[in-house]
Amino acid sequence: MQFEAELAAVVAVGGWDAPRRIVELCVARLPVTGAGITLMSDADRQQPLWASDEVAARIDELQFRLAEGPCVEAFTTGRAVVVADITDTRDARWPMFSSAVRETPARAMVVLPLQARDALIGILDFYRDRPGLIAPADLAAAQRAADATFWSLLGLRPGRTLDESGAPAPDDDHDPHGWLAGAPLEHVEVYQATGMIVAQLDVSSDAALARLRATAFVEDRPIAEVARDVVERRLRFSDGVE
């Protein structure tokens, strides 16, 4: 619960260094050696955003250059990929990547897609310097970190366009990553809730929206649903993270 509370605090504060802070939290709190975040629009179009160390950066560079590996699979399938030993020659899923990654200390890997509903914007990947599967509780915590990463990245969108579910609206021809640009936030209830939170906490609209995102993350609900609770006065914000 402490780890989730720390993640919620990062989402609430937001800012351009939020992805870095999430990665640092994961490395400090989870049984992983390193981690990285990469934005993707398809398997061969990516933008590395943050890596905890040179090994994590190398892992991401290798598989995206080779167009294969657990990160590519997690993005294309939209499902988590857990690997006990990426160098195991009996695993023939990614032959070129598995051969190349032997030059690094990485052994076990966990890769999680960054997504909400039908919106998929990239991956959060972890490596460990020893083989072995991650425990179920740690995998669940890593998934919450992926959720927090998604919401933090959403807060960096210049346009913050959302659909009815509270997920990023579909991209267009000028927006290969989908979430990177768009028109102003259009969901009326989110606008209204943001204004009410501004009045309740005496904060900026950006800070109020960040608090709304943090609550959606903690409660694992669409942001529009949380906003409706605020508008209909079923939820009121105080000085603490809701």
Side-chain angles (χ1 to χ4, degrees), residues 17-52:
D17 67 339
R20 172 188 61 79
R21 286 182 284 139
I22 290 173
V23 166
E24 290 176 347
L25 266 176
C26 290
V27 174
R29 300 283 188 262
L30 300 179
V32 299
T33 307
I37 299 171
T38 300
L39 303 176
M40 299 178 67
S41 58
D42 57 46
D44 60 358
R45 298 180 69 182
Q46 78 287 331
Q47 178 182 328
L49 189 63
W50 189 264
S52 62

Side-chain angles (χ1 to χ4, degrees), residues 17-212:
D17 67 339
R20 172 188 61 79
R21 286 182 284 139
I22 290 173
V23 166
E24 290 176 347
L25 266 176
C26 290
V27 174
R29 300 283 188 262
L30 300 179
V32 299
T33 307
I37 299 171
T38 300
L39 303 176
M40 299 178 67
S41 58
D42 57 46
D44 60 358
R45 298 180 69 182
Q46 78 287 331
Q47 178 182 328
L49 189 63
W50 189 264
S52 62
D53 53 50
E54 292 183 1
V55 175
R58 177 61 173 163
I59 289 170
D60 290 345
E61 187 275 331
L62 277 174
Q63 57 194 317
F64 291 121
R65 175 164 56 83
L66 297 171
E68 68 172 35
C71 291
V72 177
E73 181 171 323
F75 180 81
T76 56
T77 64
R79 296 192 297 270
V81 176
V82 181
V83 187
D85 187 352
I86 196 67
T87 65
D88 189 343
T89 57
R90 294 170 297 180
D91 189 340
R93 287 177 291 179
W94 317 293
M96 291 186 295
F97 173 69
S98 294
S99 176
V101 82
R102 290 191 185 96
E103 301 173 1
T104 77
R107 291 301 175 262
M109 287 191 66
V110 176
V111 187
L112 302 163
L114 303 176
Q115 61 185 345
R117 304 290 177 93
D118 295 330
L120 178 58
I121 63 173
I123 56 93
L124 170 63
D125 64 296
F126 303 96
Y127 81 88
R128 296 201 296 173
D129 57 7
R130 60 187 184 281
L133 294 174
I134 191 170
D138 293 324
L139 180 58
Q143 181 59 66
R144 293 303 280 155
D147 294 340
T149 301
F150 177 89
W151 286 105
S152 294
L153 290 172
L154 182 61
L156 303 183
R157 299 179 64 242
R160 299 192 184 96
T161 303
L162 305 182
D163 64 16
E164 291 294 325
S165 72
D171 56 2
D172 57 37
D173 292 339
H174 305 290
D175 183 12
H177 293 296
W179 65 278
L180 292 174
L185 185 64
E186 294 177 345
H187 200 287
V188 174
E189 287 175 328
V190 174
Y191 257 143
Q192 293 173 333
T194 300
M196 292 175 69
I197 298 169
V198 167
Q200 291 170 13
L201 299 178
D202 191 24
V203 295
S204 68
S205 58
D206 282 348
L209 182 60
R211 294 292 291 272
L212 198 63

